[in-house]
Amino acid sequence: MGLLEKLFGIKIKDEDMDNSLILTIIDLIGKSKTNTLIEKGFLNESLNLSQEDIQKCISKYKEIDENFEVPSLDKIKTTIENSINTLSESYKLGIKSTNIFNDDFPTKLKNIKDKSILIFYKGNLNCLYEDKSIAIIGTRTPTERGKKIGEALGEYYAKEGFIVVSGLASGCDTYGHRGCLNMKGQTVATLPCGLDKYYPPENCDLGDEILENEGCLISEYKIGTNPSKIRFIQRDRLQAALSLGVVVVECAIECGTMHTVKFAQKYNKKLAVSLHDEVNLDIETIKGNLYLIENSDAIGLSNIEDYKKYKDILINNISR
């Protein structure tokens, strides 16, 4: 019986490491240093939640940085208590979690250099295991044509059996999710905040509908965590990691969407860009599309035939 089950009646598999251990260490020293401890083999599943064991584990980081300040036992004790309470409150809200040591942790999030360590989720985690997945992303302020394109892309790829990945944001993300749901498809939303809230708040109904249709909401952040610039960027990396390919509906040359594009390129994901029949160069949210066509190997999408060709490219990449 794990510690959470003893304390709160929360059942977790015997073979799982308590997620509270990972959360505790992340809260103490940050995700990057925790990841380093894992990569160096300093952190393993045999640790229990005693503050002495955790302090001994964390102190090994001094082998990498001699100036590293090891947290006190009192601070570790307080952080353990907060972590256990956080997971208990999360379970009450229907929010589950899994960490990199668990069998159910999505492989897609392990196989990137800046890999995830701990994720929180609501809904169907199986969506994150599916090979056929596509990210549909773009500006929060699309043109009317952009809205239609985003929805059409969501509909087409959901109909073809793809999981649609996006960020629940206003604009292109919303229409990508919506198109998928129109076809009763499964869609995944990556959030830059704790799952006790939806961001933006006006997409609460959309988030609920995603769950009702066997989709999934995921985040690397515990409940009570608010969005921030770096958290938006980090959630953008999850969109790229979870997808075979990334489609940009509309975007400016300098915008948040470009973070996802850069991660897609870093992870060798196939990039596609929506093409407009009539391009008004004065529209900022289309300039990014043109830039990507001219300065990357992005595939242009302008009709159903293009959608199909891109689909075939993505499926062929699965078998490689």
Side-chain angles (χ1 to χ4, degrees), residues 118-238:
L118 175 71
I119 60 168
F120 297 90
Y121 67 95
K122 292 180 76 173
N124 182 11
L125 191 64
N126 290 329
C127 293
L128 278 63
Y129 308 147
E130 293 292 333
D131 288 329
K132 289 173 64 177
S133 55
I134 187 169
I136 299 174
I137 62 172
T139 179
R140 290 175 173 79
T141 56
T143 63
E144 288 302 313
R145 179 168 176 76
K147 295 175 184 178
K148 292 177 182 178
I149 290 173
E151 192 163 3
L153 285 163
E155 289 178 350
Y156 176 82
Y157 288 103
K159 189 176 179 180
E160 294 296 324
F162 279 73
I163 302 292
V164 172
V165 179
S166 202
L168 202 70
S170 302
C172 294
D173 289 19
T174 293
Y175 287 96
H177 287 306
R178 175 58 56 203
C180 178
L181 293 171
N182 289 345
M183 297 291 106
K184 304 300 180 183
Q186 293 172 302
T187 180
V188 173
T190 64
L191 275 72
C193 56
L195 295 180
D196 52 327
K197 56 176 73 75
Y198 289 144
Y199 189 86
E202 56 265 28
N203 270 350
C204 284
D205 290 344
L206 178 60
D208 289 342
E209 192 172 347
I210 288 172
L211 297 178
E212 290 166 5
N213 281 271
E214 296 298 316
C216 191
L217 308 180
I218 72 164
S219 173
E220 291 182 297
Y221 305 108
K222 64 184 181 180
I223 56 174
T225 304
N226 293 318
S228 69
K229 183 177 180 180
I230 187 61
R231 289 169 189 149
F232 277 109
I233 295 173
Q234 289 301 301
R235 76 90 183 265
D236 289 344
R237 115 185 176 283
L238 298 186

Side-chain angles (χ1 to χ4, degrees), residues 31 35 39 100 108-117 220 233-234 237-238 241 263 266-267:
K31 176 178 174 292
N35 214 335
E39 290 175 349
I100 196 170
K108 295 176 183 178
L109 301 182
K110 293 180 183 179
N111 291 342
I112 53 176
K113 185 175 181 180
D114 43 354
K115 57 182 171 288
S116 292
I117 301 173
E220 291 182 297
I233 295 173
Q234 289 301 301
R237 115 185 176 283
L238 298 186
F263 284 119
K266 179 180 179 180
Y267 303 153

Side-chain angles (χ1 to χ4, degrees), residues 7-283:
L7 293 179
F8 300 108
I10 297 171
K11 293 185 178 181
I12 51 179
K13 300 175 186 176
D14 291 338
E15 65 268 24
D16 284 351
M17 180 198 300
D18 282 342
N19 293 317
S20 47
L21 168 61
I22 300 294
L23 180 58
T24 295
I25 296 179
I26 290 174
D27 279 353
L28 284 168
I29 64 174
K31 176 178 174 292
S32 178
K33 289 185 176 65
T34 304
N35 214 335
T36 299
L37 290 177
I38 292 171
E39 290 175 349
K40 296 291 185 180
F42 296 154
L43 174 61
N44 60 63
E45 303 180 55
S46 64
L47 286 175
N48 60 40
L49 278 178
S50 76
Q51 51 262 47
E52 291 83 7
D53 282 344
I54 291 176
Q55 187 182 56
K56 183 178 179 181
C57 171
I58 291 176
S59 67
K60 293 180 180 179
Y61 196 83
K62 290 185 75 69
E63 296 179 18
I64 301 164
D65 179 3
E66 63 180 14
N67 296 318
F68 173 69
E69 186 174 341
V70 180
S72 68
L73 288 175
D74 285 342
K75 184 175 182 181
I76 291 173
K77 180 176 184 294
T78 299
T79 306
I80 290 172
E81 293 171 350
N82 290 340
S83 297
I84 292 172
N85 183 64
T86 292
L87 291 180
S88 173
E89 293 302 312
S90 297
Y91 268 78
K92 292 176 185 177
L93 295 172
I95 301 168
K96 300 178 182 179
S97 56
T98 184
N99 69 72
I100 196 170
F101 291 101
N102 292 345
D103 292 339
D104 66 349
F105 194 83
T107 301
K108 295 176 183 178
L109 301 182
K110 293 180 183 179
N111 291 342
I112 53 176
K113 185 175 181 180
D114 43 354
K115 57 182 171 288
S116 292
I117 301 173
L118 175 71
I119 60 168
F120 297 90
Y121 67 95
K122 292 180 76 173
N124 182 11
L125 191 64
N126 290 329
C127 293
L128 278 63
Y129 308 147
E130 293 292 333
D131 288 329
K132 289 173 64 177
S133 55
I134 187 169
I136 299 174
I137 62 172
T139 179
R140 290 175 173 79
T141 56
T143 63
E144 288 302 313
R145 179 168 176 76
K147 295 175 184 178
K148 292 177 182 178
I149 290 173
E151 192 163 3
L153 285 163
E155 289 178 350
Y156 176 82
Y157 288 103
K159 189 176 179 180
E160 294 296 324
F162 279 73
I163 302 292
V164 172
V165 179
S166 202
L168 202 70
S170 302
C172 294
D173 289 19
T174 293
Y175 287 96
H177 287 306
R178 175 58 56 203
C180 178
L181 293 171
N182 289 345
M183 297 291 106
K184 304 300 180 183
Q186 293 172 302
T187 180
V188 173
T190 64
L191 275 72
C193 56
L195 295 180
D196 52 327
K197 56 176 73 75
Y198 289 144
Y199 189 86
E202 56 265 28
N203 270 350
C204 284
D205 290 344
L206 178 60
D208 289 342
E209 192 172 347
I210 288 172
L211 297 178
E212 290 166 5
N213 281 271
E214 296 298 316
C216 191
L217 308 180
I218 72 164
S219 173
E220 291 182 297
Y221 305 108
K222 64 184 181 180
I223 56 174
T225 304
N226 293 318
S228 69
K229 183 177 180 180
I230 187 61
R231 289 169 189 149
F232 277 109
I233 295 173
Q234 289 301 301
R235 76 90 183 265
D236 289 344
R237 115 185 176 283
L238 298 186
Q239 293 175 10
L242 290 171
S243 306
L244 279 174
V246 173
V247 181
V248 176
V249 179
E250 283 185 357
C251 75
I253 293 176
E254 294 185 6
C255 66
T257 298
M258 287 299 183
H259 292 300
T260 309
V261 168
K262 290 176 182 177
F263 284 119
Q265 293 169 329
K266 179 180 179 180
Y267 303 153
N268 295 316
K269 307 290 184 172
K270 197 61 184 175
L271 182 65
V273 176
S274 175
L275 299 178
H276 288 244
D277 293 334
E278 297 179 4
V279 177
N280 184 338
L281 295 180
D282 292 331
I283 300 177

